[in-house]
Amino acid sequence: MLRAAPLPPPPQASDPALEALVRAIIERVADKWTMLAIETLEEHGRLRFTRLGDLIGGISQKMLTKTLRQMEADGLVTRTVHPVVPPHVDYELTELGRSLGAAFCGVWIWAEEHRERIAAARAAFEARGRG
């Protein structure tokens, strides 16, 4: 059974700039589309816009565009436009994007380790009539 590493203690003094950055990163990457885009690009490598959307599944073109623009602004992906007609645009994770994906891999490990307990808790909650 996998065991999660203990969390390091919080810093003694709070750095407001670092705290703001962490909150902004969590806000941006905790949404499902960013994480699914990272996962898809990690698994498949460089992808064209349409293929990326197809592989993610269920994402609108508008939302994919918004997600990829934000990821590009944060340095998580590179966008390459090829000068052909019609335009050909590729997206690829940067090293920073790959490192973020590795950091969030812990969520999958945690979910795998605790899936039965979560399912039992949800079932108990439903049985109490609170669902």
Side-chain angles (χ1 to χ4, degrees):
M1 180 183 287
L2 298 172
R3 293 281 177 219
L7 294 175
Q12 294 297 324
S14 178
D15 177 348
L18 180 58
E19 191 170 319
L21 176 62
V22 169
R23 287 176 181 265
I25 290 169
I26 290 170
E27 181 180 304
R28 288 188 184 149
V29 302
D31 74 273
K32 71 178 182 180
W33 299 124
T34 300
M35 292 313 303
L36 289 172
I38 289 173
E39 179 184 21
T40 303
L41 288 167
E42 181 64 38
E43 185 176 332
H44 296 277
R46 180 182 302 142
L47 290 170
R48 292 178 74 165
F49 178 87
T50 304
R51 181 70 178 139
L52 178 57
D54 290 345
L55 289 169
I56 290 173
I59 187 170
S60 69
Q61 186 173 355
K62 180 179 177 180
M63 182 55 72
L64 181 58
T65 298
K66 179 181 174 186
T67 300
L68 290 169
R69 282 185 182 160
Q70 189 59 62
M71 290 174 70
E72 184 181 10
D74 289 339
L76 304 177
V77 297
T78 56
R79 177 178 185 265
T80 305
V81 179
H82 300 275
V84 295
V85 177
H88 172 151
V89 181
D90 291 331
Y91 291 88
E92 185 173 19
L93 285 177
T94 63
E95 188 59 40
L96 186 61
R98 279 191 285 289
S99 69
L100 179 61
F104 273 89
C105 184
V107 174
W108 275 267
I109 294 168
W110 179 87
E112 180 181 30
E113 183 176 336
H114 298 289
R115 84 170 102 193
E116 290 84 13
R117 291 173 61 192
I118 295 166
R122 289 176 175 174
F125 185 82
E126 287 287 327
R128 291 191 308 267
R130 299 203 177 165

